[in-house]
Amino acid sequence: MRVRADDAGATVTAPGFPTASPKDVGGRAVRIAGVLGARALRRGWSSAKAVVTGRPAADRDTWLADTITDLGPAFVKVAQMLSTRPDLVSPRVCRALGDLYDDVRPIDTAELLPLLEQRLGHGVARTIASRPVASGSIACVYRATLADGREVAVKVRRPGIERVLGTDLAIIRLVTRLVARVPMLRGVPVVEIVSQLTGSVYEQLDFAMERTNLDRLHRNLSMFPDVRVPRVHHEMCGEDVVVMEFIHDLRRLQPADLTEEDRKRAVTSALHAVYQMLFHDGLVHCDLHPGNLYLRQDGRVVIVDAGFTVTLRPQAQDKFASFFHQMTKGDGQRCAEIVLSTATPGPRTDTEGFCRELRALVEAGTGVRAADFDLVSFATKLFDIQRRYGLYADPQFVFPILSLLVLEGTVREFAPDIDFQDEAVPFLVQGTLERAVRAWQASLAEDEQSARTPSAPEVG
């Protein structure tokens, strides 16, 4: 994205982002500079005090998290997104950023009522406006009972948040373009990385896309009787409201709350749903933490919130499927070649060193029992090797790994003996064959079209 002033100096535009006026950008930039200055002074004072008193200074990770929180929701969202990218930052930084949360109040009733009344009617809106079941920096979620008795969950975008996020994200991108000119960063795809992060944040404002993705997940996973995704009520939705089926009793269970049979059934269902996304459908829910994935006492699972989903290209699905397959075979060299074919090299890339260490990593995990194989440790080491040898991963390759990483904690807690690699094989094989058939059919169609198109007469 490019941020620029037009010839008259009237606007600052950003493709894919709303127009932000120079006044908005300038005023916000001054406030951001003030926050950073104040936080830097506070950090300096804390460090100086620690030297004098001999007591340790305030924790650096805590200072970083507090600074980002003070900068506002756009910075919190970008940091939260960055915390999901261990391919870009160290595990320590991921943990620090992952502790950030949205400290916000519900939407003001005076602003909320007109939105709800337009979609749900005056009576229903009045009964729920003051009682959100969840409150975030971008939206709030309410529970409502319609006139016909149906219970629904209503997700409402905060009025004005598009302008706030758009201005801050434009500033972040502009600063990134300036920082990218620093000599030590030449050759590093800083602009591309920040564009990916800010783009992912801004997409969370697109409720039309979110309800489409939620509807697609509902249809794609309907083949699994033990997997439930809320149904979207499209007739009541709008650009700033998503109305969906309300599912009761969504709470975090402990392993002791389920029988061993139901634990295994629920975890297997969750794994199969993710493999269906990865190897077949290409629409992947990348945020299946316990607040978005619920295991039920009857062994079923519920998946909610399609705000962070990614659509994989067929080529990316093939690359990830091949990597996953070669990893299960213990072929470290082939795994390294696949990663190299998807990554962007930096100015100090060492491909030989990368291949050597990745081979050793894959071979070390070969033959390990399912209960002893630690996917988090494997992925952390994989991303660490990439960073150390100057490779920048394609997000289309990273997001499938992240979707499994988020789920891995639930697998280990509830059913550690499940072999997630063996469970993946049928989906991997069938998905690869289906894409190969579709590619072959597309090639035939192109050949037929070429054959029907008359050749231009020769001139001579």
Side-chain angles (χ1 to χ4, degrees):
M1 183 192 74
R2 180 165 60 253
V3 181
R4 59 177 175 79
D6 66 10
D7 295 338
T11 59
V12 177
T13 60
F17 282 45
T19 299
S21 70
K23 181 179 179 181
D24 286 344
V25 172
R28 182 65 181 131
V30 170
R31 291 192 292 275
I32 290 172
V35 171
L36 292 175
R39 295 296 305 177
L41 287 173
R42 186 175 301 180
R43 178 67 180 174
W45 170 252
S46 175
S47 299
K49 187 177 179 181
V51 171
V52 173
T53 62
R55 297 177 180 175
D59 179 67
R60 184 174 59 181
D61 292 344
T62 301
W63 176 85
L64 175 63
D66 290 343
T67 300
I68 294 172
T69 301
D70 286 350
L71 287 171
F75 291 86
V76 171
K77 287 295 181 184
V78 171
Q80 288 173 335
M81 195 65 64
L82 187 59
S83 74
T84 69
R85 297 292 301 274
D87 58 308
L88 299 177
V89 294
S90 69
R92 182 184 63 81
V93 175
C94 284
R95 287 191 296 270
L97 299 180
D99 289 336
L100 289 167
Y101 62 94
D102 299 326
D103 185 14
V104 293
R105 289 176 291 182
I107 301 172
D108 183 79
T109 303
E111 295 180 297
L112 178 64
L113 278 176
L115 296 174
L116 293 180
E117 288 174 349
Q118 180 182 2
R119 299 294 169 190
L120 305 177
H122 179 76
V124 175
R126 286 281 176 186
T127 62
I128 68 173
S130 61
R131 302 196 304 273
V133 296
S135 182
S137 58
I138 289 179
C140 291
V141 179
Y142 300 82
R143 175 182 176 183
T145 302
L146 304 179
D148 60 8
R150 286 181 297 169
E151 287 189 289
V152 295
V154 185
K155 186 174 182 178
V156 184
R157 192 173 68 196
R158 288 183 175 276
I161 190 62
E162 184 175 2
R163 178 178 179 181
V164 172
L165 281 187
T167 299
D168 279 6
L169 295 176
I171 291 172
I172 291 172
R173 287 188 162 194
L174 177 59
V175 171
T176 301
R177 294 180 70 86
L178 297 175
V179 171
R181 299 176 183 176
V182 175
M184 66 180 295
L185 292 178
R186 286 176 184 166
V188 178
V190 178
V191 173
E192 291 79 3
I193 290 170
V194 172
S195 292
Q196 293 161 7
L197 294 171
T198 54
S200 295
V201 170
Y202 196 73
E203 283 178 357
Q204 294 183 29
L205 294 175
D206 190 345
F207 276 22
M209 180 185 293
E210 179 171 344
R211 68 173 181 265
T212 297
N213 287 340
L214 189 63
D215 194 47
R216 286 178 61 193
L217 286 175
H218 176 84
R219 287 185 280 107
N220 291 346
L221 301 179
S222 62
M223 67 180 68
F224 301 106
D226 290 342
V227 179
R228 187 174 177 185
V229 179
R231 186 184 301 274
V232 178
H233 297 294
H234 292 281
E235 72 280 5
M236 290 181 279
C237 294
E239 66 175 11
D240 43 20
V241 175
V242 178
V243 182
M244 68 205 90
E245 171 189 12
F246 184 86
I247 299 179
H248 287 269
D249 197 30
L250 294 184
R251 55 194 176 92
R252 176 75 185 276
L253 298 179
Q254 301 300 319
D257 297 327
L258 290 81
T259 65
E260 181 178 355
E261 180 182 354
D262 285 336
R263 288 199 302 271
K264 184 174 181 179
R265 175 184 170 188
V267 169
T268 301
S269 295
L271 275 174
H272 288 180
V274 171
Y275 292 145
Q276 177 70 22
M277 298 178 203
L278 290 173
F279 300 123
H280 285 263
D281 306 327
L283 179 66
V284 182
H285 194 308
C286 296
D287 201 20
L288 289 176
H289 58 73
N292 288 335
L293 174 69
Y294 293 91
L295 275 56
R296 313 296 290 268
Q297 286 184 303
D298 60 1
R300 299 182 180 184
V301 297
V302 176
I303 296 173
V304 300
D305 194 351
F308 184 16
T309 55
V310 173
T311 300
L312 301 178
R313 300 184 301 270
Q315 298 89 337
Q317 285 182 284
D318 286 335
K319 291 285 187 181
F320 178 72
S322 181
F323 177 86
F324 195 99
H325 178 58
Q326 299 301 332
M327 182 183 72
T328 62
K329 291 172 55 181
D331 190 341
Q333 179 60 35
R334 183 63 187 131
C335 285
E337 292 169 357
I338 293 169
V339 174
L340 285 174
S341 72
T342 66
T344 300
R348 292 176 292 276
T349 298
D350 177 0
T351 56
E352 289 186 7
F354 171 77
C355 290
R356 182 177 60 254
E357 287 210 30
L358 186 53
R359 280 199 307 268
L361 175 64
V362 172
E363 290 166 4
T366 303
V368 175
R369 290 191 319 123
D372 296 330
F373 183 81
D374 188 343
L375 179 62
V376 172
S377 175
F378 177 87
T380 299
K381 291 175 181 176
L382 167 62
F383 293 138
D384 177 64
I385 293 170
Q386 282 190 194
R387 286 195 308 271
R388 285 192 290 107
Y389 288 100
L391 289 166
Y392 300 90
D394 181 353
Q396 288 268 309
F397 188 80
V398 173
F399 284 131
I401 298 177
L402 294 181
S403 66
L404 290 173
L405 282 183
V406 177
L407 181 61
E408 204 260 358
T410 300
V411 174
R412 285 212 163 271
E413 185 178 8
F414 283 82
D417 289 327
I418 285 183
D419 191 328
F420 78 94
Q421 295 179 358
D422 279 352
E423 294 291 338
V425 171
F427 295 88
L428 188 156
V429 173
Q430 186 176 353
T432 302
L433 288 175
E434 287 178 354
R435 285 191 300 279
V437 170
R438 286 197 296 268
W440 175 67
Q441 291 172 335
S443 177
L444 287 180
E446 289 180 5
D447 291 343
E448 290 176 2
Q449 180 64 31
S450 298
R452 288 196 299 266
T453 302
S455 301
E458 293 185 7
V459 179

